[in-house]
Amino acid sequence: QLLGINFQTIEMAEDREQFRNWMLLLNIPVPHGKTVRSVEEGKMNANQIGFPLIIRPSYTLAGSGGSIVEDFQQLENALHIGLETSPIKEVLIEKAVLGWKEFELEVLKDGHDQVVVIATIENIDPMGVHTGDSVTVCPAMTLSDRLFQKMRNTAIVIMQNLPNFSGGCNVQFAIHPTTEDLLVIEINPRVSRSSALASKATGYPIAKIAAKLALGYRLDE
């Protein structure tokens, strides 16, 4: 028995195609991309999306099998690696937003759709460096209140539309450094390295509270 989540909800977040379609259904902007299941299909779609590209395998952790592709020479090998790494042999080919600023919100949700933002995290390195390899700061240092509210409202919409989930989650955003366009990159419906960082920075016991929420406690309790 799974506590705090079910298999369908994991699939919504971890299956790249399901996640992309879910975000578009909520009118939440995501990078232009296409999910493919073969090298040939990947090559056909790469030109339509335009280089540089990010290869994101489904159901992998810590960016395993993912890569940045600058041209057709790198594409075939990157697709082979991504498809082999994904346990369901599926990758998302996505328009790379290299150089954009990257932020995360660490949030908690209970079984009654109550959501709270525990911390903001800013990657010092821009998009293109995996968040697990980047230097990060908590709280965010260069985030305007207007953009924070936009990220917060977006995260709450996502969490309240994430069914059968109670616990800790982080939502990753890319923000253009000059136009301030905002895109959602992914969510992780679980505690993660970011959760540990946020707990240390804030003194808030995220994993402990997430476990209680998974058992059925409400946030107000």
Side-chain angles (χ1 to χ4, degrees), residues 104-108 115-120 148 151-152 155-156:
E104 297 180 34
L105 291 187
E106 193 69 37
V107 302
L108 288 168
V115 182
V116 63
V117 176
I118 302 300
T120 59
F148 167 66
M151 283 168 48
R152 173 184 173 274
I156 289 172

Side-chain angles (χ1 to χ4, degrees), residues 19-32 150-161 171-173 182-187:
F19 177 75
R20 177 177 172 76
N21 291 336
W22 174 39
M23 290 298 100
L24 295 175
L25 196 64
L26 296 176
N27 291 317
I28 292 173
V30 291
H32 182 42
K150 189 175 181 181
M151 283 168 48
R152 173 184 173 274
N153 292 342
T154 301
I156 289 172
V157 168
I158 292 171
M159 296 312 297
Q160 289 182 337
N161 284 275
V171 185
Q172 297 180 8
F173 296 90
L182 181 146
L183 300 173
V184 170
I185 302 301
E186 66 178 3
I187 71 167

Side-chain angles (χ1 to χ4, degrees), residues 5 8 10 24 34 52-53 65-66 85 118 122 131 138 144 159 166 169 178 182 189 197 201-202 210 214:
I5 197 168
Q8 290 73 30
I10 293 172
L24 295 175
K34 178 73 176 175
L53 300 166
T85 306
I118 302 300
E122 179 172 354
T131 186
C138 177
S144 67
M159 296 312 297
S166 305
C169 182
T178 53
L182 181 146
L197 170 67
T202 61

Side-chain angles (χ1 to χ4, degrees), residues 177-193:
T178 53
T179 65
E180 295 192 339
D181 289 339
L182 181 146
L183 300 173
V184 170
I185 302 301
E186 66 178 3
I187 71 167
N188 293 301
R190 52 183 166 77
V191 291
S192 64
R193 288 174 293 189

